[in-house]
């Protein structure tokens, strides 16, 4: 049974966006609009060209920010503040999810390619504040993004995650490659499964999945 495959796990690592809330909340639509506006203002592009470049950077660099830093030497902190200035009114508290996370044995952390202050706001809106032992954003990885292995290594060193005794929950399958290589149990949280040897489990319903581990 599923519970058996997690019996060795003492460190639980959760992505934030579209993992700890359902993709139906569509927060990323708002973030993408903010990114496009930022790129229009800082690079002088029209919105169509900015959106194209945003997507190219996400595909080729892991995040839009990583591409902007590589090609345009963008200052990351003002960018992160601007793009995360979004409405969270579509998020609802999830008491069952909070109870299941609270019941997990060991240390729990959030690791997002967004910023830690943004993660704190999202967790509060989901009723998940105070459940985690650490909240890590892209700033804790020197602004290098998941899926880069070096980014995971920097964050896991600070969070004192023992990857041989850890599990990673993520909606972006790219971001499960390095955790798998590092010996973690991997859970893909998304509406549709994808093929890949680096994915141990898939679920459409994180709350239900964690309920099975109790
Ligand atoms: Mg995500």
């Amino acid at each position: 049974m599923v519970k058996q495959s997690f019996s060795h796990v003492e460190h639980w690592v959760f992505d934030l966006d579209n993992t700890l809330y359902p993709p139906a909340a569509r927060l990323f639509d708002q973030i993408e609009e903010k990114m496009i506006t930022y790129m229009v203002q800082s690079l002088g592009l029209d919105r169509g060209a900015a959106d194209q470049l945003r997507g190219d950077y996400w595909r080729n660099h892991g995040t839009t920010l990583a591409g902007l830093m590589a090609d345009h030497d963008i200052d990351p902190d003002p960018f992160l503040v601007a793009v995360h200035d979004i409405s969270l009114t579509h998020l609802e508290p999830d008491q069952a999810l909070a109870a299941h996370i609270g019941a997990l044995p060991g240390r729990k952390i959030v690791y997002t390619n967004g910023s830690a202050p943004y993660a704190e706001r999202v967790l509060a809106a989901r009723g998940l504040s105070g459940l985690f032992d650490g909240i890590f954003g892209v700033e804790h990885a020197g602004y290098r993004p998941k899926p880069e292995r070096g980014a995971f290594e920097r964050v896991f060193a600070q969070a004192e995650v023992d990857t041989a005794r850890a599990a990673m929950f993520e909606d972006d399958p790219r971001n499960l490659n390095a955790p798998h290589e590092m010996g973690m149990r991997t859970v893909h949280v998304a509406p549709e499964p994808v093929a890949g040897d680096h994915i141990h489990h898939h679920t459409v319903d994180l709350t239900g999945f964690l309920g099975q581990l109790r």
Side-chain angles (χ1 to χ4, degrees):
M1 60 199 258
V2 172
K3 189 173 177 177
Q4 204 60 37
S5 355
F6 290 82
S7 57
H8 66 296
V9 173
E10 297 171 359
H11 296 161
W12 308 83
V13 183
F14 294 89
D15 172 50
L16 181 79
D17 288 304
N18 295 335
T19 296
L20 286 176
Y21 62 80
R26 305 207 69 82
L27 295 194
F28 235 78
D29 289 4
Q30 293 186 63
I31 293 171
E32 286 177 1
E33 285 302 316
K34 297 277 182 177
M35 288 184 186
I36 293 166
T37 299
Y38 201 89
M39 292 170 73
V40 165
Q41 290 170 353
S42 55
L43 305 182
L45 302 171
D46 65 41
R47 290 192 76 81
D51 190 29
Q52 176 76 41
L53 191 59
R54 179 198 61 70
D56 290 346
Y57 282 155
W58 181 82
R59 278 181 292 277
N60 299 323
H61 290 263
T63 58
T64 301
L65 174 60
L68 286 169
M69 290 177 71
D71 283 3
H72 298 282
D73 209 19
I74 284 268
D75 185 358
D77 288 319
F79 174 87
L80 288 169
V81 170
V83 305
H84 290 124
D85 181 22
I86 62 168
S87 163
L88 302 182
T89 53
H90 293 297
L91 293 182
E92 291 174 2
D94 186 335
Q95 290 181 349
L97 180 59
H100 294 335
I101 291 173
L104 293 172
R107 289 164 49 74
K108 302 135 213 175
I109 72 163
V110 172
Y111 173 25
T112 172
N113 269 340
S115 70
Y118 164 70
E120 301 263 16
R121 287 179 57 216
V122 170
L123 293 176
R126 290 286 281 152
L128 304 176
S129 294
L131 289 172
F132 295 95
D133 299 287
I135 296 170
F136 296 86
V138 69
E139 65 269 42
H140 292 97
Y143 304 100
R144 301 311 308 169
K146 299 183 277 185
E148 291 180 14
R149 179 162 173 159
F152 285 96
E153 287 173 345
R154 283 182 76 153
V155 165
F156 290 166
Q158 292 165 72
E160 298 180 19
V161 168
D162 175 0
T163 54
R165 297 183 174 278
M168 178 87 204
F169 297 80
E170 235 310 329
D171 68 291
D172 186 340
R174 300 181 300 175
N175 297 345
L176 291 171
N177 273 313
H180 180 261
E181 282 174 13
M182 297 163 90
M184 298 174 77
R185 195 127 277 268
T186 59
V187 183
H188 182 221
V189 183
E192 299 292 336
V194 297
D197 292 342
H198 64 300
I199 295 171
H200 293 130
H201 305 274
H202 169 263
T203 183
V204 298
D205 170 20
L206 178 64
T207 302
F209 189 88
L210 294 179
Q212 291 181 278
L213 303 184
R214 293 186 75 169

